[in-house]
Amino acid sequence: MPRNTTARRLTGLALPAFALLAMTQPACAMQREPAYAEARANGTVGERVDGYLGFTGAPPAGLRAVIDDINIRRKASYADRARAAGVTIEEFAFAQGCILIARTSPGEKYQAPGGSWQTRGSGAPQLDPRCPAVG
């Protein structure tokens, strides 16, 4: 698909994705279970550009299962929401990745467009140029 068409499709996802993200606050709260919250706070885990969580290095024993479970739940949610929006799971997950990276807090890790792990500072994170406008 040409880049401008992809950008239009992703921009069309931005508003619905924000609305759906607001409706999933209980799911986000579940993701803040102690092992996940600690891994996110210490930089072991960060938001990837593809909408899933990733490890910034070798994860401690037991954490992989927690993060895998969160990613499985995310994929199931993305699949349902992508189907409703008439887009692919990958397109929807990418748009969610943009939103989730934009919502990181200072000190949290996120994946920059080139794939490197960055630590969020006080300014906005680096977003992929294909990201829809995120408020």
Side-chain angles (χ1 to χ4, degrees):
M1 178 179 309
R3 184 175 179 183
N4 61 353
T5 303
T6 300
R8 275 191 301 240
R9 286 178 67 121
L10 292 175
T11 300
L13 288 174
L15 187 57
F18 274 120
L20 290 169
L21 190 60
M23 295 181 343
T24 61
Q25 289 306 314
C28 291
M30 180 281 306
Q31 291 181 7
R32 294 293 179 162
E33 67 99 348
Y36 167 68
E38 181 181 341
R40 188 162 179 129
N42 69 26
T44 304
V45 170
E47 293 292 345
R48 294 188 334 216
V49 296
D50 64 0
Y52 299 96
L53 293 169
F55 296 106
T56 61
L63 183 60
R64 182 168 298 282
V66 171
I67 300 306
D68 285 349
D69 183 59
I70 292 170
N71 282 337
I72 288 167
R73 290 173 191 257
R74 282 187 180 188
K75 185 167 188 171
S77 175
Y78 294 169
D80 291 342
R81 294 157 54 187
R83 192 173 18 265
V87 297
T88 68
I89 294 171
E90 292 78 13
E91 288 171 323
F92 193 90
F94 177 82
Q96 280 297 111
C98 296
I99 293 166
L100 292 168
I101 289 171
R103 293 182 71 199
T104 56
S105 298
E108 292 183 330
K109 295 284 191 179
Y110 70 94
Q111 195 176 38
S116 66
W117 287 104
Q118 301 294 316
T119 302
R120 171 83 186 257
S122 60
Q126 300 171 43
L127 294 176
D128 189 293
R130 298 170 296 158
C131 284
V134 290

